[in-house]
Amino acid sequence: MNERSTRLDRRTMAIYWAAVTLVVIIALSGAATLIYRDYDSRIDAAGQSAMNLANALAEHTTQIFVRLEAVSRAITEDRADPIVDQDMLSEVMRRRAAAEPAATAIAIIGIDGLVAASSSPAYPAGSDMSETSFFKTLSAAGGPASYIGQPYHTAVGTWDGWTMNYGHRIESDAGTFEGLVLIVVDGPFLYGFYNKLEEESGRVIGIVGTDGIIRASNVPEVIGRRLGPDEEPILRAGGGIVIAPSMRTGIERVFAYSSSAVAPMLAYVGVPTAPIYVAWRTASAIILAALAALFATLIALGIVLGKYVRNRASLMASTLDAARVHQEREFLEAILNTDGALVAVADPQGKRVVANPAFRAMIETGGGLDYALGGQLPDIVSKLPYQTNSTVTKADGERRELAWSVTAIREKDGAIKNLVAIGFDITERRAAELAIYQSGKMITLGEMATGIAHEINQPLATIMMALDTLRNRIKTGQAEPAFVDKSLQLLSDQLDRTAAIVSHMRIYGHRSSAAAQPIDPAGAVDGALVISQAQFADAGISLRKTYAAGRHMMLTDPTLIEQIVLNILVNARDAIIDNPASGPNQSDDWIEIGIAAEPDGKMVAITISDSGPGIPPALLERLFEPFFTTKPVGKGTGLGLALSAGMARDLGGRIEVRNTGSGAEFRILMPAAPQS
């Protein structure tokens, strides 16, 4: 049954992926065809729109030159069959020029290139025009019937702009050249039309001759310039549509060219392709996005289906995991919405930029990060990412302990742009930790109860013996003053010893605030030895003190550091008692205590080494785990070193341990106190 189900599942997945492959091929082909056709459609639409306008412009140009052709033929007839004297021919041309809006001036040039008659002082009778381009073109054997010269700039009356000349060849009945009619095209009539059509939305229009010279345009800067090689095939073909860069700006445009019916001219209209491409890319992006969504959906469905058919139980587990993740996400969002975390963003100088309500409610003074974190900003920045604890006092006098984590937002060059501080109120958790530490001290005192009782019993026994001796001497009358004074001094010394032990036990038993302060670590070591020193002597363990008071200062809590030292000393004692020194000299058991600053000066270490058996290498990593102990059942809780490590960490320090070859060595490292 399982094999059949597996085969069916495999067949189902194979069919599914084959169908997906077919759908992908069809979708890709359809999308490619649609995108390609959309591109062609948009370009064709732009070209057709431009061609419609170009046809209108070509028709306008045709009408102008038809009128100029009609005027030139009328002037030719006036010359060939004058109805007035030849002296009046110039007056006739002035009247015809005045009656024709497309013409400004008219002149007749003879076969010799001299002006025979003219309506404008610009071409006085007798002027030699034989070297002009239009005379040479029209007078050449087999020359064209008409010629349109290149545009030139002129200022006539109120017009200051472009114009051009139109020439018409005069022939005899035999077809020989007998002169030409020169007409100066009216600038405002022709160019004023294009000047009114501004470069709207990047559109350019104009007239270009078949020689490639632009005669008119709504962009005056290009008049008189020659088109590029991309347009030459269009000019030779007499019109069409081409995509080419604009000669002035280099902007790519769709150009439509339409030829005039009577003049060797083409009207052109160019529209920019950029908006077309943008619209096409947008439409294509939508198609591709839809295609990608389809593919992603098919792949996602295939993956989900594959997971389902491979392992239905796994699918259910995934569903449960997804629900759990969703619940956890909602839970975290609920925590953030309740402002459980203190969040603040500051500038590199520590000045607060923005803070959430929880931060503002806790840090009511409006201080910067250095105030909230209880440290100097340069020191914080030098240790990023930075973690610390701080205590703040609210306006109502309530003290709260906060745990902070500080990170940096940096520029591309690595410079700090902002500092981000995230804090949590750990007052209750800290109180619980201190209660655990206090319990640890009580456990330690309980473990040492027998030794402490013995420590107190010794001076009490001495006191009782001294009192009995003194009482007997008094009864027998042998109590000399010197003996009485010596006995009283002995009683006082033993009472002081007992009082010191009891007093230090009371101090050691007090609850710690875990507030770091500058202390002499030698005092903490001496305090631990007050309680435990006699036990080492009774066990035959010698104490080697290689430290001296006043040489080093560390920043820590005096009660907690004493508890850490005492825990490690007790462990060293037990290790030696369980494995005493062997050989001829049984007094080789020792514990050595030293205090020294680290080479960088940032930490101070209390070193406790012993002559015990050391710690098995396999157990070194587990030494600080809660409830882990190598002692027999009933002789250890497994909390001493775990609590010690937690205390050291909370105070900004750490505990290191290693085997020395002659025993074990513990190093308690705490921050060095600033030099005053």
Short mmCIF file of all heavy atoms in Angstrom, two decimals, residues 519-527 529 545-554 593-596 604 606:
data_model
loop_
_atom_site.label_atom_id
_atom_site.label_comp_id
_atom_site.label_asym_id
_atom_site.label_seq_id
_atom_site.Cartn_x
_atom_site.Cartn_y
_atom_site.Cartn_z
N ILE A 519 37.11 49.31 45.53
CA ILE A 519 37.52 48.64 46.77
C ILE A 519 38.93 48.11 46.60
O ILE A 519 39.43 47.95 45.48
CB ILE A 519 36.57 47.47 47.14
CG1 ILE A 519 36.70 46.34 46.11
CG2 ILE A 519 35.13 47.94 47.26
CD1 ILE A 519 36.14 45.02 46.60
N ASP A 520 39.56 47.81 47.76
CA ASP A 520 40.86 47.13 47.76
C ASP A 520 40.58 45.64 47.79
O ASP A 520 40.01 45.13 48.76
CB ASP A 520 41.67 47.56 48.98
CG ASP A 520 43.06 46.96 48.98
OD1 ASP A 520 43.35 46.09 48.13
OD2 ASP A 520 43.87 47.36 49.84
N PRO A 521 40.92 44.87 46.74
CA PRO A 521 40.61 43.44 46.73
C PRO A 521 41.28 42.68 47.88
O PRO A 521 40.80 41.62 48.29
CB PRO A 521 41.11 42.97 45.37
CG PRO A 521 42.10 44.00 44.94
CD PRO A 521 41.63 45.29 45.52
N ALA A 522 42.36 43.23 48.42
CA ALA A 522 43.01 42.56 49.55
C ALA A 522 42.07 42.48 50.74
O ALA A 522 42.06 41.49 51.49
CB ALA A 522 44.29 43.30 49.92
N GLY A 523 41.24 43.50 50.95
CA GLY A 523 40.28 43.48 52.05
C GLY A 523 39.24 42.39 51.87
O GLY A 523 38.82 41.75 52.83
N ALA A 524 38.78 42.18 50.61
CA ALA A 524 37.80 41.13 50.35
C ALA A 524 38.40 39.75 50.62
O ALA A 524 37.73 38.87 51.19
CB ALA A 524 37.30 41.22 48.92
N VAL A 525 39.65 39.55 50.23
CA VAL A 525 40.31 38.26 50.48
C VAL A 525 40.48 38.03 51.99
O VAL A 525 40.19 36.95 52.51
CB VAL A 525 41.66 38.20 49.76
CG1 VAL A 525 42.40 36.91 50.12
CG2 VAL A 525 41.46 38.28 48.26
N ASP A 526 40.92 39.08 52.69
CA ASP A 526 41.10 38.95 54.14
C ASP A 526 39.77 38.65 54.81
O ASP A 526 39.70 37.88 55.77
CB ASP A 526 41.69 40.24 54.71
CG ASP A 526 43.15 40.42 54.28
OD1 ASP A 526 43.79 39.42 53.90
OD2 ASP A 526 43.64 41.57 54.33
N GLY A 527 38.67 39.26 54.33
CA GLY A 527 37.37 39.00 54.92
C GLY A 527 36.95 37.55 54.74
O GLY A 527 36.38 36.94 55.65
N LEU A 529 38.97 35.06 54.50
CA LEU A 529 39.85 34.24 55.33
C LEU A 529 39.48 34.30 56.80
O LEU A 529 39.78 33.38 57.57
CB LEU A 529 41.30 34.67 55.13
CG LEU A 529 41.89 34.38 53.73
CD1 LEU A 529 43.31 34.92 53.63
CD2 LEU A 529 41.88 32.88 53.45
N LYS A 545 50.12 33.86 50.95
CA LYS A 545 49.59 35.17 50.55
C LYS A 545 50.69 35.94 49.84
O LYS A 545 51.71 36.28 50.46
CB LYS A 545 49.10 35.94 51.77
CG LYS A 545 48.02 35.22 52.57
CD LYS A 545 47.62 36.07 53.78
CE LYS A 545 46.58 35.35 54.63
NZ LYS A 545 46.20 36.16 55.82
N THR A 546 50.48 36.18 48.57
CA THR A 546 51.49 36.93 47.78
C THR A 546 50.98 38.33 47.44
O THR A 546 51.48 38.96 46.52
CB THR A 546 51.81 36.17 46.49
OG1 THR A 546 50.62 36.05 45.71
CG2 THR A 546 52.35 34.79 46.80
N TYR A 547 49.99 38.78 48.16
CA TYR A 547 49.42 40.10 47.89
C TYR A 547 49.66 41.02 49.07
O TYR A 547 50.00 40.56 50.17
CB TYR A 547 47.92 40.00 47.62
CG TYR A 547 47.11 39.49 48.78
CD1 TYR A 547 46.60 40.35 49.75
CD2 TYR A 547 46.86 38.12 48.92
CE1 TYR A 547 45.86 39.87 50.82
CE2 TYR A 547 46.12 37.64 49.98
CZ TYR A 547 45.62 38.51 50.94
OH TYR A 547 44.91 38.05 52.00
N ALA A 548 49.46 42.31 48.84
CA ALA A 548 49.58 43.31 49.90
C ALA A 548 48.47 44.32 49.73
O ALA A 548 48.03 44.61 48.60
CB ALA A 548 50.94 43.99 49.85
N ALA A 549 48.00 44.86 50.84
CA ALA A 549 46.90 45.83 50.80
C ALA A 549 47.37 47.14 50.19
O ALA A 549 48.53 47.55 50.32
CB ALA A 549 46.36 46.05 52.21
N GLY A 550 46.43 47.80 49.47
CA GLY A 550 46.69 49.14 48.96
C GLY A 550 47.41 49.21 47.64
O GLY A 550 47.66 50.30 47.13
N ARG A 551 47.76 48.08 47.02
CA ARG A 551 48.49 48.12 45.75
C ARG A 551 47.56 48.26 44.55
O ARG A 551 47.93 48.86 43.55
CB ARG A 551 49.33 46.85 45.61
CG ARG A 551 50.51 46.79 46.55
CD ARG A 551 51.40 45.59 46.21
NE ARG A 551 52.55 45.53 47.09
CZ ARG A 551 53.49 44.59 47.02
NH1 ARG A 551 53.37 43.61 46.11
NH2 ARG A 551 54.51 44.59 47.85
N HIS A 552 46.39 47.65 44.63
CA HIS A 552 45.46 47.67 43.49
C HIS A 552 44.06 48.01 43.99
O HIS A 552 43.70 47.70 45.13
CB HIS A 552 45.44 46.31 42.77
CG HIS A 552 46.78 45.86 42.31
ND1 HIS A 552 47.42 46.40 41.21
CD2 HIS A 552 47.62 44.91 42.81
CE1 HIS A 552 48.57 45.80 41.05
NE2 HIS A 552 48.73 44.89 42.01
N MET A 553 43.26 48.60 43.07
CA MET A 553 41.86 48.91 43.35
C MET A 553 41.01 48.37 42.20
O MET A 553 41.36 48.53 41.03
CB MET A 553 41.64 50.42 43.50
CG MET A 553 42.39 51.06 44.66
SD MET A 553 41.75 50.53 46.28
CE MET A 553 40.17 51.36 46.29
N MET A 554 39.90 47.73 42.56
CA MET A 554 39.00 47.23 41.54
C MET A 554 37.60 47.78 41.76
O MET A 554 37.24 48.18 42.87
CB MET A 554 38.97 45.70 41.50
CG MET A 554 38.44 45.02 42.73
SD MET A 554 38.16 43.22 42.53
CE MET A 554 39.68 42.66 41.81
N ILE A 593 47.26 32.66 47.19
CA ILE A 593 46.37 33.75 46.78
C ILE A 593 47.23 34.95 46.39
O ILE A 593 48.10 35.38 47.17
CB ILE A 593 45.41 34.15 47.92
CG1 ILE A 593 44.67 32.91 48.44
CG2 ILE A 593 44.41 35.19 47.43
CD1 ILE A 593 43.85 33.20 49.68
N GLY A 594 46.97 35.49 45.18
CA GLY A 594 47.70 36.66 44.71
C GLY A 594 46.77 37.67 44.05
O GLY A 594 45.67 37.32 43.62
N ILE A 595 47.21 38.90 43.98
CA ILE A 595 46.44 39.99 43.35
C ILE A 595 47.38 40.75 42.43
O ILE A 595 48.47 41.16 42.85
CB ILE A 595 45.83 40.93 44.40
CG1 ILE A 595 44.90 40.17 45.34
CG2 ILE A 595 45.08 42.07 43.72
CD1 ILE A 595 44.39 41.00 46.50
N ALA A 596 46.97 40.94 41.17
CA ALA A 596 47.82 41.66 40.20
C ALA A 596 46.94 42.30 39.13
O ALA A 596 45.82 41.82 38.86
CB ALA A 596 48.83 40.71 39.56
N VAL A 604 41.75 43.87 37.05
CA VAL A 604 42.57 43.41 38.17
C VAL A 604 42.15 41.97 38.47
O VAL A 604 40.95 41.66 38.52
CB VAL A 604 42.38 44.30 39.41
CG1 VAL A 604 43.13 43.73 40.61
CG2 VAL A 604 42.85 45.72 39.12
N ILE A 606 42.28 38.47 40.89
CA ILE A 606 42.58 37.75 42.13
C ILE A 606 42.83 36.30 41.72
O ILE A 606 41.93 35.63 41.19
CB ILE A 606 41.41 37.84 43.12
CG1 ILE A 606 41.10 39.29 43.47
CG2 ILE A 606 41.72 37.03 44.37
CD1 ILE A 606 39.87 39.46 44.33
#
